[in-house]
Amino acid sequence: MLVLRTCLSYASSLGSVHKENAEMLPPLSFVLGGAASGKSRFAENLIVNSGLPSVYVATARAWDDETKDRISIHKDRRGQQWTTIEAPFDIATPLSATPDRAAILLDCATMWLTNQMMENADMSAAQQAFVDACLACPAPLVVVSNEVGQGIVPENAMARAFREAQGRLNIALAENADLAVQVVAGLPNVLKGQLP
């Protein structure tokens, strides 16, 4: 919580110029794409270009060396200007505590949903809680998620259940988002709203 308090202190010290920039980013943006599509980089640029203090809510857990390496790549790319909050399960607390004079990137809904499934959570209740937390966030929020429905039908029941749950979460996020963007090969395709 020290990181969160530092972020709160920094954001509260900013002048009204940042309040004007906050209007450039809609309350909820949804960035969807396949693996290695450039969705995270695009979402990061949305946050950085807002001119607001950048807060990164990380949902991944470092299960193995490959995941650790991927997390390191993302951290290195973002650099020091980001405040990072790790939230593999509870996103409501950091989202509700971040002041409206910051901009938040939550990366990603897919890893968060994976964590829920691995803990045998009630998926329907978890999905609703996720959407509710996003809608209650006082700061501009950009949520990254994976498109998992364009490949082959998974061979095992757990993977099929996850694909269905992720699809439902993506639909709910897109429905509630002010801006929805699909990223393909690094290129944004605006599905809903307007880019800032």
Side-chain angles (χ1 to χ4, degrees):
M1 293 312 287
L2 175 61
V3 170
L4 185 56
R5 282 197 297 274
T6 302
C7 175
L8 293 172
S9 174
Y10 173 60
S12 65
S13 69
L14 297 172
S16 61
V17 65
H18 291 294
K19 193 69 170 175
E20 294 168 13
N21 287 342
E23 295 172 7
M24 294 176 57
L25 266 180
L28 178 59
S29 300
F30 178 53
V31 178
L32 180 70
S37 63
K39 62 188 179 297
S40 290
R41 186 181 298 266
F42 175 80
E44 289 165 10
N45 286 336
L46 280 178
I47 298 290
V48 170
N49 292 338
S50 76
L52 296 168
S54 304
V55 178
Y56 187 94
V57 176
T59 62
R61 290 194 287 176
W63 295 101
D64 54 26
D65 288 341
E66 183 181 349
T67 309
K68 288 176 187 173
D69 289 344
R70 193 147 181 84
I71 290 170
S72 292
I73 289 169
H74 277 245
K75 281 183 178 178
D76 291 344
R77 185 175 69 219
R78 288 193 309 270
Q80 297 298 314
Q81 75 268 25
W82 290 78
T83 298
T84 300
I85 302 167
E86 295 188 14
F89 296 103
D90 172 25
I91 64 160
T93 300
L95 292 188
S96 64
T98 303
D100 61 3
R101 289 185 299 249
I104 305 171
L105 172 58
L106 190 150
D107 195 356
C108 75
T110 309
M111 292 306 298
W112 178 87
L113 194 65
T114 299
N115 297 338
Q116 301 298 315
M117 180 169 267
M118 297 306 288
E119 297 297 321
N120 296 313
D122 177 329
M123 297 303 277
S124 180
Q127 290 164 326
Q128 187 60 55
F130 188 96
V131 173
D132 290 346
C134 291
L135 292 175
C137 182
L141 172 63
V142 178
V143 178
V144 174
S145 189
N146 283 49
E147 171 55 65
V148 295
Q150 294 184 330
I152 61 171
V153 176
E155 65 180 34
N156 67 75
M158 185 177 187
R160 288 192 298 274
F162 180 80
R163 181 191 61 173
E164 292 301 314
Q166 184 65 61
R168 286 191 301 273
L169 181 57
N170 287 345
I171 289 168
L173 287 167
E175 181 180 330
N176 286 284
D178 305 286
L179 170 66
V181 179
Q182 180 184 32
V183 178
V184 179
L187 301 174
N189 177 27
V190 178
L191 304 175
K192 179 181 180 182
Q194 291 185 337
L195 289 175

